[in-house]
Amino acid sequence: MRPFDYIRAEDPAAARSAAAGSNAAFLSGGTNLLDLMKLEVMAPDTVVDISRLGLDAIEDDGDGLRIGATATNSDLAADMRVRKHWPVLSRALLAGASGQLRNKATTGGNLLQRTRCPYFYDTDTPCNKRTPGEGCSAIGGETRNHAILGTSDHCIALHPSDMAVALRALDTTVEVEAADGTSKSYEMDDFYRLPGDTPHRETVLEAGDLITGVRLPAPKGDRQIYRKVRDRASYAFALVSVAAVIRMENGRIAHAALAFGGLGTKPWRDPDFDTLLTGEAPSRALFDEAADVLLGRAVSHGGDDFKIPMARRVLRAVLEEATQ
Amino acid sequence: MTLDLKVDGQSEDRAETYAQGILGTPEDRPDGHAKVSGAATYAADDLPEGCVFGMLVRAPGHGGVTVLNEDEVRGTAGVLAVIRDPRMIRNAAQGTANAAPVQGVDQADYIGQPVALVVAETAEAAQHAAQSLRLRTDGEAGPVNPDDVEAEGEPDTMGDLDAAMADAAHALDVVYTTPSMTSAPMEPHAAVAWWEGDRLTVRSALQMLKYNRNELADSLGIDPEHVRLLAPFVGGGFGSKLGISADAVAAAIAAQELGRPVRVVQHRRQVFETVTRRSETRQRIRLAADDRGRLTGIGHESLVSNLPDEAFSEPVSQATYFAYAGAHRVIGERLARLNRPASGSVRAPGEAVGVTTFECAMDELASEVGIDPVELRLRNIPDKDPHSGLPFSSHTLARSLNEGAARFGWADRPSSPRARREGEWWIGTGMAAAFRVNMMLEAEARITLTPDGAVVETDMTDIGTGTYAILTQIAGEALGLPVDRVDVRLGDTTYPPGSGSGGSFGAATTGNAVWLAAQEIRQAIAQRMNCAESDLTLKDGTAICGNTSRAVVELLDGASLEGHGHVTGGKAFQDVRQSTFGAHFAEVAVSDVTGEVRVRRMHGTFGAGRILNEKTARSQCHGGMTWGIGMALTENMVHDRRDGHIVNRDFAEYHMAVNADVPPLDVHFLDERDPWAGPLQAKGIGELGICGAGAAVINAIHHACGVRVRDLPATPDRVLAGLE
Ligand SMILES: Cc1cc2nc3c(=O)[nH]c(=O)nc-3n(C[C@H](O)[C@H](O)[C@H](O)COP(=O)(O)OP(=O)(O)OC[C@H]3O[C@@H](n4cnc5c(N)ncnc54)[C@H](O)[C@@H]3O)c2cc1C
């Protein structure tokens, strides 16, 4: 770990200005940042602790919910409102990491957790995400859990979050306060960037931008499923995951919002996929056609070839269950 | 005086006649409270005055190593030294090597080889300085994939297997693969070293101190008599701490150079690379059988790998030689020399992977022949070792199979696959036999009996297995003392040399040395009682002979008695085939949607001679079976195809079975004594539980959903490939 300055901010404004310098990082639960700092994959000069800013509230927001950036994954998963109206979020959270980690991990930190690509973690192997322009070791390497959607010639790293997949299916917005005090809010799709030729820039955030919370609109579907396939029963990242929010009306799919984990360089959602389902009567043929739309765009790398047939099967099972 | 015993023949079961009644009972570990309360000090826990901190630096590539910024790093605040000493070792020594492994820092034979040590005033400064040291390597990767080289070795051949296969009513010819695996002890490898003049003391995480002392002394070029090793508590080993590892040698060198105590703890990511892994294997298994499933031929040929100059070769088919009858045989390993991290012993080297795959092949044969898998095994139990012709010391496979099947409820099983389904889950059951060779090494132990009780001393280790508990029980039983009057002291080379922990031989070997030491004291007490030792009863501190009964304290008369035991495995281990046996049963559910497998219940019945402590033995079997689940379903150390480096070097990405993967594990021990195994009539139990456990799971997957997975682990994608 490289020596760094530790600042415990007294209020959000102080936190933002302390972090406005070029190489600062906010410390929330620390479950990702500290690991990466120990390996010097991340080496901020300044660490600004935001865990005591009182940003942990989970509050009613009309028919929706506002979740503070430092609400822990455990608290959020256990919240009665979330369990009742947004169960896909609760399930996604509980499918992630372990009880101990979820007690520390926070909403903001979870959104910004970095990829688990092993070459990103290994400072002896080139990685464009870690050091722009250095090259990508994953391409041509061991690719069992890499992304097959949204990749570029510079990076095929997967976004590992479960929580963010559920949030994408729920049309969540991310609320940010910039270093200069202005507030911004982003749709999830706009919040995350595709790797392109700048895979080190994962979101639209600029130095000093603080996530203050996320806003969940009223649930648009009562049939909510989170299904995660992983290498062991617990404590493993998704190979494939699906978050589905569906509303049925008169035997037809009135609302379909599906988001995917384990597949994309960011929590994945494909508007064409949702559109194809909307207004239709559920059928095996429809589900397969939708899967073709989603997975027709996939590019796999050998080790992760299996994700395409796996995603197809899981998708079918989730849609069958959700539209029954 | 010493009571010496070379175990050449059968021993009488004296323990049966003793009165204390604490041998075999599920006693708590005397060290348990200290361990769970954090009071037990492991290698890196207790720092001598003035101790400084070292961090090993890994080679980022292959070939000649150059350091680019040594002066800069040396000049960093808090940094005391950058050490690149030719005596540093390339990888951990193999078990019982007794000499230094390959040494040197100028040439990296594998990625991850420790090629420097940075020492600083704090652990944090050392780690940062180690990460700041920039190294260049100038070599191309040598061969890193088993298929890229001509492998060494020829199999053993008996009869004509090809002809047997051609003539067989049922012939099976299949290839199984298992990946590299790591031992992953909870305590990382660590050492604290300090010198007093030319005397070196190292506290470290080690399994076999008597050998480790020689390995360390040889690495440093000093007299082993000048080295003292301490390892009173060791947080798991599983083979990875059999030999001296890079941290201990580097710490000793640095402590000498700096004239201060030095602590070196390997980072978890380093443990994956610098200590020995379980070799990947590719195993071709051929089985020829008659129409009733009786084997006429057995082929088991394996390709394994290791670094150049390592003596170890994964003995995959060690148990295949004696497991089943069948006259025509081709059995053995070929070794590919690769520039991957070194391979070596990991819990049940040989059987862990060899029995597992072989028992999968047996399941395939049972399907071929159309008989029950348990019945197939029963039909093929040999009456003597089919390879050597030696008699078995005892043979409990049939009993294990029958008792295990009854306890598990095997009889209700549908005979064909895909017969049970609950929602999307296919349910099936599978079984496998377990075999593990039984060995005895050499050990010494000393007991001092004082008015306060008995003190047992040996440099034997307790690597979490329960050695403190069982040696307490053995001494207490023989000397008629309750457990709280026996004080066992381990893990210090100033004590008599024990066997060390490894190969499941620790309990029986060192246990018998303790037993013999106690016998010597019994003889002295009998003399003071004026009776024959065989007529002496010792119980709760009282000596009884016929009508005479006296407190042992009185007999001691204020002084103490010393007993010294020395045991070696002899002809009983050469002229008789000794093995432990067992049977595993598993029930799994396989998702038809995702290919995910959940083990729902598991049972193991084991025959290992006298069980010395029912509780610690059971824990060993739980551990072994858990490893079996990991081997079957999740564990896979991935080497990058381009340069052989280990890609997944942490516990997030190297998947061991976690709690949620492990159902209640039911363990049953056969009531057995093996008179050939030494006076205690106990055999090894530390590894038997893993041997074949994974096969029961893999076979259950087939029974559940009809998919044969021959490339382990059976991850969801591999199961799904069969379901598609
Ligand atoms: C072994 C292991 C297994 C795991 N398994 C899973 C899994 O299965 N599924 C899953 O989804 N996750 C998993 N995780 C990841 C875990 O969910 C994340 O580590 C966690 O959510 C990160 O939250 P945190 O609060 O600890 O973030 P931190 O580590 O504190 O921060 C992460 C990043 O976000 C930045 N940051 C944090 N808060 C803010 C904010 N308010 N504004 C701006 N920037 C901010 C930090 O600067 C840092 O760059 C696992 C982690 C581990 C270690």
Side-chain angles (χ1 to χ4, degrees):
Chain A
M1 194 181 279
R2 191 182 295 172
F4 58 90
D5 290 329
Y6 172 85
I7 297 171
R8 183 180 295 168
E10 299 298 324
D11 57 61
R16 292 188 318 260
S17 57
S22 60
N23 193 14
F26 292 119
L27 173 69
S28 193
T31 60
N32 192 220
L33 180 65
L34 294 184
D35 281 0
L36 291 167
M37 285 174 66
K38 286 184 203 162
L39 297 173
E40 300 194 8
V41 172
M42 290 176 77
D45 300 329
T46 309
V47 170
V48 182
D49 189 341
I50 57 165
S51 63
R52 294 169 177 85
L53 295 185
L55 294 174
D56 58 349
I58 305 172
E59 296 160 324
D60 290 332
D61 177 34
D63 291 338
L65 203 63
R66 189 181 179 287
I67 301 158
T70 60
T72 66
N73 288 179
S74 293
D75 286 347
L76 185 56
D79 187 280
M80 275 319 292
R81 293 160 293 186
V82 175
R83 289 173 58 182
K84 197 158 174 223
H85 302 296
W86 298 273
V88 64
L89 175 58
S90 194
R91 297 212 178 101
L93 284 161
L94 294 176
S98 64
Q100 294 93 325
L101 283 159
R102 294 194 297 268
N103 286 342
K104 288 300 290 177
T106 63
T107 313
N110 195 320
L111 286 173
L112 294 182
Q113 64 172 296
R114 312 291 307 272
T115 184
R116 309 303 290 202
C117 173
Y119 301 98
F120 172 72
Y121 267 75
D122 185 344
T123 47
D124 286 329
T125 55
C127 169
N128 287 326
K129 199 183 259 308
R130 217 178 42 233
T131 314
E134 197 177 50
C136 171
S137 303
I139 295 173
E142 302 304 318
T143 55
R144 176 166 157 77
N145 209 5
H146 282 81
I148 58 173
L149 288 166
T151 58
S152 74
D153 292 344
H154 302 272
C155 185
I156 59 171
L158 184 72
H159 195 282
S161 173
D162 290 298
M163 179 196 82
V165 174
L167 291 183
R168 265 220 87 175
L170 292 168
D171 297 316
T172 310
T173 51
V174 181
E175 304 198 324
V176 174
E177 279 180 22
D180 63 10
T182 53
S183 305
K184 302 181 253 186
S185 99
Y186 299 94
E187 301 292 320
M188 292 272 288
D189 192 31
D190 302 328
F191 180 73
Y192 290 107
R193 301 164 55 116
L194 289 173
D197 56 6
T198 54
H200 59 292
R201 304 211 50 204
E202 294 167 357
T203 66
V204 295
L205 295 181
E206 303 285 344
D209 282 3
L210 176 72
I211 299 177
T212 52
V214 299
R215 209 173 275 276
L216 288 185
K220 295 177 185 160
D222 54 339
R223 304 190 177 191
Q224 299 186 11
I225 294 176
Y226 190 74
R227 175 111 198 210
K228 175 177 178 180
V229 189
R230 48 188 145 175
D231 276 331
R232 57 185 169 191
S234 169
Y235 200 43
F237 289 91
L239 297 171
V240 169
S241 75
V242 179
V245 178
I246 303 267
R247 190 177 75 251
M248 297 295 291
E249 275 170 18
N250 306 322
R252 291 188 174 270
I253 302 170
H255 174 82
L258 280 89
F260 303 91
L263 301 182
T265 53
K266 60 183 194 176
W268 203 256
R269 193 160 159 195
D270 187 332
D272 295 341
F273 178 93
D274 294 343
T275 308
L276 197 140
L277 294 173
T278 309
E280 301 294 326
S283 73
R284 181 81 172 246
L286 177 71
F287 301 158
D288 287 348
E289 195 188 333
D292 287 341
V293 166
L294 175 79
L295 297 166
R297 293 168 183 165
V299 179
S300 61
H301 314 92
D304 51 12
D305 290 352
F306 71 88
K307 290 187 173 186
I308 295 174
M310 181 180 277
R312 190 178 291 278
R313 275 178 103 98
V314 176
L315 197 48
R316 195 189 285 153
V318 166
L319 285 171
E320 272 168 6
E321 189 186 335
T323 58
Q324 248 165 33
Chain B
M1 285 286 289
T2 298
L3 202 55
D4 275 304
L5 176 69
K6 186 151 176 279
V7 182
D8 288 326
Q10 304 193 51
S11 306
E12 199 187 326
D13 188 7
R14 297 293 310 280
E16 210 65 63
T17 66
Y18 288 177
Q20 192 63 32
I22 54 169
L23 196 59
T25 49
E27 300 297 327
D28 288 344
R29 297 157 186 259
D31 49 324
H33 188 268
K35 283 182 173 171
V36 298
S37 62
T41 47
Y42 289 82
D45 285 347
D46 198 358
L47 297 182
E49 204 41 47
C51 188
V52 293
F53 302 86
M55 189 76 197
L56 292 165
V57 184
R58 77 191 281 268
H62 296 260
V65 179
T66 320
V67 180
L68 303 175
N69 62 342
E70 188 164 336
D71 289 342
E72 179 195 325
V73 169
R74 197 172 272 134
T76 314
V79 173
L80 299 168
V82 176
I83 295 173
R84 299 192 66 232
D85 189 295
R87 294 171 296 171
M88 288 170 66
I89 58 176
R90 178 181 71 173
N91 48 263
Q94 299 290 344
T96 71
N98 232 9
V102 172
Q103 293 169 277
V105 289
D106 292 331
Q107 172 72 28
D109 292 339
Y110 65 93
I111 296 180
Q113 180 179 328
V115 291
L117 180 81
V118 179
V119 188
E121 293 284 358
T122 64
E124 292 77 8
Q127 186 163 355
H128 174 54
Q131 282 161 323
S132 308
L133 199 69
R134 291 209 317 278
L135 303 169
R136 198 176 53 215
T137 48
D138 64 8
E140 291 284 298
V144 295
N145 297 308
D147 292 329
D148 297 345
V149 289
E150 195 68 43
E152 310 159 5
E154 282 299 318
D156 291 321
T157 303
M158 273 170 74
D160 185 346
L161 179 61
D162 290 335
M165 289 288 286
D167 294 346
H170 302 282
L172 185 84
D173 187 349
V174 287
V175 174
Y176 277 82
T177 65
T178 62
S180 285
M181 287 173 242
T182 186
S183 44
M186 201 189 299
E187 179 198 27
H189 296 61
V192 182
W194 65 94
W195 293 79
E196 284 144 307
D198 61 355
R199 306 268 154 173
L200 170 66
T201 305
V202 178
R203 202 176 53 236
S204 189
L206 296 164
Q207 295 179 224
M208 305 186 81
L209 298 194
K210 138 176 104 178
Y211 300 92
N212 303 142
R213 179 161 80 150
N214 293 335
E215 289 151 6
L216 180 58
D218 188 35
S219 302
L220 299 171
I222 62 173
D223 182 350
E225 293 294 324
H226 291 186
V227 178
R228 179 180 181 193
L229 292 182
L230 298 170
F233 298 107
V234 182
F238 311 113
S240 71
K241 295 169 182 170
L242 289 173
I244 201 83
S245 54
D247 45 282
V249 177
I253 291 169
Q256 190 167 37
E257 191 169 313
L258 293 168
R260 295 173 74 172
V262 174
R263 181 183 93 173
V264 178
V265 179
Q266 293 203 34
H267 192 280
R268 178 59 68 185
R269 291 174 73 81
Q270 295 176 324
V271 173
F272 273 87
E273 301 181 313
T274 69
V275 308
T276 51
R277 67 189 165 93
R278 196 195 290 287
S279 173
E280 75 294 329
T281 70
R282 197 176 62 217
Q283 308 179 36
R284 181 185 183 196
I285 301 175
R286 284 181 285 173
L287 298 173
D290 69 12
D291 57 348
R292 301 197 46 226
R294 283 176 309 215
L295 290 166
T296 53
I298 292 175
H300 194 180
E301 298 162 89
S302 305
L303 177 64
V304 301
S305 75
N306 209 342
L307 269 174
D309 305 311
E310 289 301 310
F312 179 87
S313 170
E314 179 72 31
V316 178
S317 39
Q318 184 159 258
T320 312
Y321 284 104
F322 64 84
Y324 297 113
H328 304 282
R329 298 165 161 256
V330 179
I331 299 175
E333 290 84 35
R334 286 182 308 125
L335 177 67
R337 293 292 180 187
L338 298 182
N339 291 101
R340 290 180 169 191
S343 67
S345 294
V346 178
R347 197 177 203 170
E351 285 91 333
V353 285
V355 170
T356 297
T357 52
F358 198 86
E359 289 296 308
C360 290
M362 286 292 279
D363 197 67
E364 295 200 46
L365 182 67
S367 299
E368 277 288 320
V369 179
I371 60 174
D372 184 89
V374 172
E375 180 58 29
L376 178 71
R377 271 84 175 174
L378 289 170
R379 285 186 194 173
N380 284 292
I381 294 178
D383 48 18
K384 57 183 194 304
D385 179 335
H387 185 75
S388 61
L390 298 177
F392 286 101
S393 64
S394 77
H395 206 297
T396 54
L397 180 56
R399 269 177 75 196
S400 300
L401 290 165
N402 289 325
E403 288 190 29
R407 283 170 185 269
F408 180 76
W410 182 256
D412 306 338
R413 178 194 204 239
S415 61
S416 48
R418 294 171 81 92
R420 256 181 88 192
R421 191 160 164 157
E422 294 175 9
E424 71 173 57
W425 296 90
W426 296 104
I427 315 296
T429 53
M431 57 78 53
F435 306 87
R436 174 67 180 157
V437 292
N438 188 50
M439 300 179 264
M440 178 178 275
L441 269 60
E442 180 177 4
E444 295 178 41
R446 177 172 58 225
I447 303 180
T448 311
L449 184 67
T450 72
D452 295 332
V455 175
V456 179
E457 291 166 319
T458 157
D459 82 356
M460 177 64 184
T461 48
D462 185 327
I463 60 171
T465 48
T467 313
Y468 282 107
I470 58 160
L471 297 187
T472 300
Q473 290 168 274
I474 290 166
E477 187 65 53
L479 296 175
L481 294 172
V483 287
D484 59 7
R485 299 269 309 277
V486 181
D487 179 12
V488 175
R489 297 175 189 173
L490 304 177
D492 183 338
T493 49
T494 59
Y495 300 149
S499 60
S501 303
S504 298
F505 48 67
T509 308
T510 308
N512 274 311
V514 171
W515 185 254
L516 293 169
Q519 297 303 318
E520 205 176 33
I521 293 177
R522 288 178 60 92
Q523 285 166 5
I525 293 173
Q527 215 168 28
R528 291 179 191 190
M529 293 285 286
N530 288 318
C531 74
E533 188 274 329
S534 53
D535 295 335
L536 176 70
T537 299
L538 293 174
K539 188 169 182 342
D540 292 329
T542 305
I544 306 155
C545 265
N547 293 330
T548 322
S549 154
R550 290 185 63 190
V552 173
V553 176
E554 271 175 49
L555 294 169
L556 288 174
D557 199 18
S560 63
L561 277 175
E562 198 176 286
H564 196 271
H566 175 212
V567 72
T568 334
K571 289 202 185 69
F573 293 82
Q574 291 134 25
D575 298 349
V576 180
R577 161 54 68 193
Q578 293 204 25
S579 177
T580 52
F581 300 89
H584 294 283
F585 297 84
E587 178 179 294
V588 306
V590 182
S591 164
D592 190 58
V593 174
T594 65
E596 286 169 296
V597 177
R598 299 283 179 262
V599 182
R600 307 220 300 188
R601 61 194 179 101
M602 217 166 161
H603 170 84
T605 289
F606 303 106
R610 167 178 270 119
I611 298 303
L612 297 167
N613 177 321
E614 224 265 342
K615 185 185 282 185
T616 56
R618 186 174 299 276
S619 294
Q620 287 300 300
C621 295
H622 285 164
M625 290 159 79
T626 300
W627 280 50
I629 293 172
M631 185 185 296
L633 299 181
T634 59
E635 290 193 47
N636 184 0
M637 201 156 81
V638 178
H639 297 272
D640 191 297
R641 249 160 298 198
R642 298 164 297 189
D643 57 20
H645 87 265
I646 297 164
V647 175
N648 49 343
R649 306 198 298 278
D650 60 44
F651 289 163
E653 307 300 328
Y654 180 87
H655 293 151
M656 292 171 286
V658 296
N659 276 322
D661 295 301
V662 185
L665 303 173
D666 183 39
V667 170
H668 171 59
F669 293 113
L670 297 178
D671 188 18
E672 194 213 347
R673 307 280 182 267
D674 189 334
W676 295 92
L680 288 169
Q681 307 204 350
K683 298 195 279 195
I685 193 72
E687 299 169 312
L688 183 59
I690 188 178
C691 304
V697 174
I698 296 286
N699 296 338
I701 293 173
H702 174 258
H703 186 243
C705 68
V707 177
R708 286 274 178 213
V709 178
R710 298 197 185 92
D711 297 307
L712 273 52
T715 44
D717 49 316
R718 289 174 172 170
V719 176
L720 215 51
L723 286 172
E724 279 280 305

